[in-house]
Amino acid sequence: VTRRREAEETLQTLVDHPLQGLAILQQDGIVYANEALARITGYEVEELLAMSAEDLMNIVRLEDRAAARWRMRDRLAGKPVPAKAEFCFVHKDGRLRWTESHSVLVGYRGEPAVQVVYIDISERKRAEQALRESEELHRITIANISDAVFMTDDPGRFTYICPNAHTIFGYTPQEIERLGNIDRLLGKNLYDRVELNAAGELPNIECTVKDKEGQEHALLVNVKRVAIKRGTVLYTCRDITERKQTNYELAQLLEAVNEQKEQLRALGWQLAEAQEAERKALARDLHDQVGQKLTALNLNLTTLRSRLPAAVEPTEPVMVALNQSLRLVEETTECIQDVMVNLRPPVLDDYG
């Protein structure tokens, strides 16, 4: 008797203090609940036992109540009901607590009852939700970037194709997958596999590919070693066609500007040479024509003065006029020589 009592006490302890919630439900409500269920719901055991069937339904999340009702009704009626289900309790403090329930029809005090084991899966549900949100964020991010991302195994078979690959290649992800190997998309010998294994990543590989319509695209490809599920090589492809075209047009423009500069420089030299030739011609004309005429005029005036009678005084008007004319011719000759030097300095002829 003593051993039986100890066994019963041990069994009661295990029932009252397990990690899983345990309840026995009958038509009128809860007839048994343990401490674990009290922790899950936030209600004391006494509060749970005082609940009617409808009260119990009210601590089940609104979206799950209809399913909870028919499961309990059909289970008590002996109808076939899946043993496993997921329900969300509204904790006494208002938080949601997810549970995985396992139910079975039993007899309790001579009446049919439903024995339910509740496993708290709230942490798992939060982790799953966080994972779904992370995957959705990842999907949205990938879908909205301009780069195309692929992942392959070592032979080059696709293990991941980003949804926006069509923006560069014109193919849908399904069409790319049917290509079978990334070599058919990016070309063979894109990189050295030995070099990739040694470095782990090969950035900024330039290549040219053709899209579905045959249009050429210049790509900048980063290749990286990874270990994500079945994928071992990650490709990130950026379309730099417009940038390459812009760089080409800029190079053409710079080349045209440089040509214009050379033409302007040549025109400058031509203009300087023309100006120098004009100065030289003007200096030569001053020397050959004006200089010679002034020299002749000086000789004529000197001859005229020498032929005047000796009795003519220097103060007489004719002699004064001759002397003034001679001085004027000499001054004019000096001015002409200064102009000639300014137009064509002798050093230019001496040194070329």
Side-chain angles (χ1 to χ4, degrees), residues 112-129:
V114 180
Q115 178 181 292
V116 188
V117 175
Y118 296 97
I119 303 172
D120 191 341
I121 59 171
S122 300
E123 288 298 325
R124 190 187 81 190
K125 283 293 186 177
R126 281 193 285 270
E128 290 174 353
Q129 180 64 25

mmCIF file of all heavy atoms in Angstrom, residues 112-129:
data_model
loop_
_atom_site.group_PDB
_atom_site.id
_atom_site.type_symbol
_atom_site.label_atom_id
_atom_site.label_comp_id
_atom_site.label_asym_id
_atom_site.label_seq_id
_atom_site.Cartn_x
_atom_site.Cartn_y
_atom_site.Cartn_z
ATOM 1 N N PRO A 112 -17.400 10.744 -21.019
ATOM 2 C CA PRO A 112 -16.382 10.984 -22.057
ATOM 3 C C PRO A 112 -15.691 12.324 -21.825
ATOM 4 O O PRO A 112 -16.320 13.296 -21.422
ATOM 5 C CB PRO A 112 -17.193 10.974 -23.360
ATOM 6 C CG PRO A 112 -18.594 11.255 -22.954
ATOM 7 C CD PRO A 112 -18.766 10.690 -21.570
ATOM 8 N N ALA A 113 -14.424 12.341 -22.082
ATOM 9 C CA ALA A 113 -13.632 13.562 -21.896
ATOM 10 C C ALA A 113 -12.524 13.599 -22.954
ATOM 11 O O ALA A 113 -12.194 12.595 -23.585
ATOM 12 C CB ALA A 113 -13.045 13.608 -20.490
ATOM 13 N N VAL A 114 -11.963 14.789 -23.127
ATOM 14 C CA VAL A 114 -10.845 14.968 -24.066
ATOM 15 C C VAL A 114 -9.615 15.333 -23.247
ATOM 16 O O VAL A 114 -9.616 16.330 -22.518
ATOM 17 C CB VAL A 114 -11.135 16.078 -25.099
ATOM 18 C CG1 VAL A 114 -9.944 16.234 -26.042
ATOM 19 C CG2 VAL A 114 -12.404 15.751 -25.873
ATOM 20 N N GLN A 115 -8.612 14.484 -23.350
ATOM 21 C CA GLN A 115 -7.339 14.801 -22.695
ATOM 22 C C GLN A 115 -6.437 15.499 -23.716
ATOM 23 O O GLN A 115 -6.214 14.979 -24.807
ATOM 24 C CB GLN A 115 -6.676 13.521 -22.186
ATOM 25 C CG GLN A 115 -5.322 13.774 -21.529
ATOM 26 C CD GLN A 115 -4.691 12.488 -21.069
ATOM 27 O OE1 GLN A 115 -5.179 11.839 -20.135
ATOM 28 N NE2 GLN A 115 -3.619 12.093 -21.733
ATOM 29 N N VAL A 116 -5.955 16.675 -23.339
ATOM 30 C CA VAL A 116 -5.157 17.489 -24.272
ATOM 31 C C VAL A 116 -3.817 17.815 -23.626
ATOM 32 O O VAL A 116 -3.767 18.270 -22.475
ATOM 33 C CB VAL A 116 -5.871 18.801 -24.648
ATOM 34 C CG1 VAL A 116 -5.092 19.507 -25.757
ATOM 35 C CG2 VAL A 116 -7.308 18.539 -25.075
ATOM 36 N N VAL A 117 -2.750 17.576 -24.377
ATOM 37 C CA VAL A 117 -1.401 17.988 -23.969
ATOM 38 C C VAL A 117 -1.029 19.213 -24.805
ATOM 39 O O VAL A 117 -1.110 19.174 -26.047
ATOM 40 C CB VAL A 117 -0.381 16.857 -24.189
ATOM 41 C CG1 VAL A 117 1.035 17.365 -23.879
ATOM 42 C CG2 VAL A 117 -0.724 15.668 -23.316
ATOM 43 N N TYR A 118 -0.631 20.289 -24.126
ATOM 44 C CA TYR A 118 -0.275 21.537 -24.801
ATOM 45 C C TYR A 118 1.236 21.765 -24.681
ATOM 46 O O TYR A 118 1.774 21.806 -23.571
ATOM 47 C CB TYR A 118 -1.007 22.732 -24.180
ATOM 48 C CG TYR A 118 -2.509 22.693 -24.317
ATOM 49 C CD1 TYR A 118 -3.313 22.218 -23.280
ATOM 50 C CD2 TYR A 118 -3.123 23.130 -25.477
ATOM 51 C CE1 TYR A 118 -4.689 22.181 -23.399
ATOM 52 C CE2 TYR A 118 -4.507 23.099 -25.612
ATOM 53 C CZ TYR A 118 -5.284 22.620 -24.563
ATOM 54 O OH TYR A 118 -6.635 22.583 -24.686
ATOM 55 N N ILE A 119 1.892 21.931 -25.827
ATOM 56 C CA ILE A 119 3.334 22.224 -25.855
ATOM 57 C C ILE A 119 3.502 23.684 -26.281
ATOM 58 O O ILE A 119 2.997 24.088 -27.342
ATOM 59 C CB ILE A 119 4.078 21.304 -26.838
ATOM 60 C CG1 ILE A 119 3.847 19.850 -26.465
ATOM 61 C CG2 ILE A 119 5.564 21.627 -26.866
ATOM 62 C CD1 ILE A 119 4.384 18.865 -27.503
ATOM 63 N N ASP A 120 4.183 24.454 -25.461
ATOM 64 C CA ASP A 120 4.388 25.870 -25.772
ATOM 65 C C ASP A 120 5.414 26.002 -26.905
ATOM 66 O O ASP A 120 6.587 25.656 -26.751
ATOM 67 C CB ASP A 120 4.882 26.610 -24.530
ATOM 68 C CG ASP A 120 4.852 28.136 -24.719
ATOM 69 O OD1 ASP A 120 4.810 28.593 -25.877
ATOM 70 O OD2 ASP A 120 4.872 28.855 -23.702
ATOM 71 N N ILE A 121 4.959 26.476 -28.060
ATOM 72 C CA ILE A 121 5.848 26.638 -29.229
ATOM 73 C C ILE A 121 5.982 28.112 -29.616
ATOM 74 O O ILE A 121 6.294 28.435 -30.761
ATOM 75 C CB ILE A 121 5.334 25.805 -30.425
ATOM 76 C CG1 ILE A 121 3.914 26.245 -30.818
ATOM 77 C CG2 ILE A 121 5.374 24.326 -30.124
ATOM 78 C CD1 ILE A 121 3.428 25.627 -32.116
ATOM 79 N N SER A 122 5.761 28.994 -28.653
ATOM 80 C CA SER A 122 5.793 30.434 -28.946
ATOM 81 C C SER A 122 7.157 30.866 -29.473
ATOM 82 O O SER A 122 7.253 31.636 -30.447
ATOM 83 C CB SER A 122 5.431 31.241 -27.700
ATOM 84 O OG SER A 122 4.130 30.916 -27.251
ATOM 85 N N GLU A 123 8.234 30.390 -28.840
ATOM 86 C CA GLU A 123 9.587 30.767 -29.284
ATOM 87 C C GLU A 123 9.839 30.291 -30.704
ATOM 88 O O GLU A 123 10.410 31.011 -31.527
ATOM 89 C CB GLU A 123 10.631 30.184 -28.334
ATOM 90 C CG GLU A 123 10.685 30.843 -26.971
ATOM 91 C CD GLU A 123 11.052 32.322 -27.071
ATOM 92 O OE1 GLU A 123 11.860 32.682 -27.947
ATOM 93 O OE2 GLU A 123 10.504 33.118 -26.286
ATOM 94 N N ARG A 124 9.401 29.055 -30.991
ATOM 95 C CA ARG A 124 9.586 28.535 -32.344
ATOM 96 C C ARG A 124 8.817 29.356 -33.360
ATOM 97 O O ARG A 124 9.310 29.659 -34.444
ATOM 98 C CB ARG A 124 9.128 27.076 -32.391
ATOM 99 C CG ARG A 124 9.501 26.362 -33.701
ATOM 100 C CD ARG A 124 8.879 24.989 -33.752
ATOM 101 N NE ARG A 124 7.467 25.067 -34.170
ATOM 102 C CZ ARG A 124 6.635 24.045 -34.108
ATOM 103 N NH1 ARG A 124 7.034 22.884 -33.602
ATOM 104 N NH2 ARG A 124 5.383 24.172 -34.521
ATOM 105 N N LYS A 125 7.579 29.741 -33.001
ATOM 106 C CA LYS A 125 6.756 30.540 -33.902
ATOM 107 C C LYS A 125 7.386 31.906 -34.157
ATOM 108 O O LYS A 125 7.374 32.411 -35.276
ATOM 109 C CB LYS A 125 5.351 30.708 -33.330
ATOM 110 C CG LYS A 125 4.466 29.491 -33.492
ATOM 111 C CD LYS A 125 4.147 29.262 -34.966
ATOM 112 C CE LYS A 125 3.141 28.148 -35.168
ATOM 113 N NZ LYS A 125 2.786 27.969 -36.586
ATOM 114 N N ARG A 126 7.934 32.505 -33.075
ATOM 115 C CA ARG A 126 8.582 33.817 -33.257
ATOM 116 C C ARG A 126 9.804 33.683 -34.159
ATOM 117 O O ARG A 126 10.068 34.552 -34.999
ATOM 118 C CB ARG A 126 8.958 34.402 -31.895
ATOM 119 C CG ARG A 126 7.782 35.031 -31.163
ATOM 120 C CD ARG A 126 8.258 35.853 -29.983
ATOM 121 N NE ARG A 126 8.684 35.005 -28.872
ATOM 122 C CZ ARG A 126 7.866 34.590 -27.915
ATOM 123 N NH1 ARG A 126 6.587 34.936 -27.933
ATOM 124 N NH2 ARG A 126 8.320 33.837 -26.924
ATOM 125 N N ALA A 127 10.544 32.591 -33.962
ATOM 126 C CA ALA A 127 11.722 32.369 -34.812
ATOM 127 C C ALA A 127 11.310 32.159 -36.267
ATOM 128 O O ALA A 127 11.947 32.679 -37.192
ATOM 129 C CB ALA A 127 12.506 31.157 -34.301
ATOM 130 N N GLU A 128 10.214 31.388 -36.475
ATOM 131 C CA GLU A 128 9.735 31.161 -37.843
ATOM 132 C C GLU A 128 9.263 32.462 -38.479
ATOM 133 O O GLU A 128 9.520 32.714 -39.663
ATOM 134 C CB GLU A 128 8.596 30.145 -37.825
ATOM 135 C CG GLU A 128 9.042 28.722 -37.488
ATOM 136 C CD GLU A 128 7.862 27.780 -37.337
ATOM 137 O OE1 GLU A 128 6.701 28.271 -37.356
ATOM 138 O OE2 GLU A 128 8.079 26.559 -37.207
ATOM 139 N N GLN A 129 8.578 33.292 -37.688
ATOM 140 C CA GLN A 129 8.110 34.572 -38.205
ATOM 141 C C GLN A 129 9.277 35.477 -38.562
ATOM 142 O O GLN A 129 9.271 36.147 -39.607
ATOM 143 C CB GLN A 129 7.201 35.254 -37.165
ATOM 144 C CG GLN A 129 6.658 36.610 -37.593
ATOM 145 C CD GLN A 129 5.748 36.527 -38.812
ATOM 146 O OE1 GLN A 129 5.163 35.479 -39.067
ATOM 147 N NE2 GLN A 129 5.640 37.612 -39.558
#
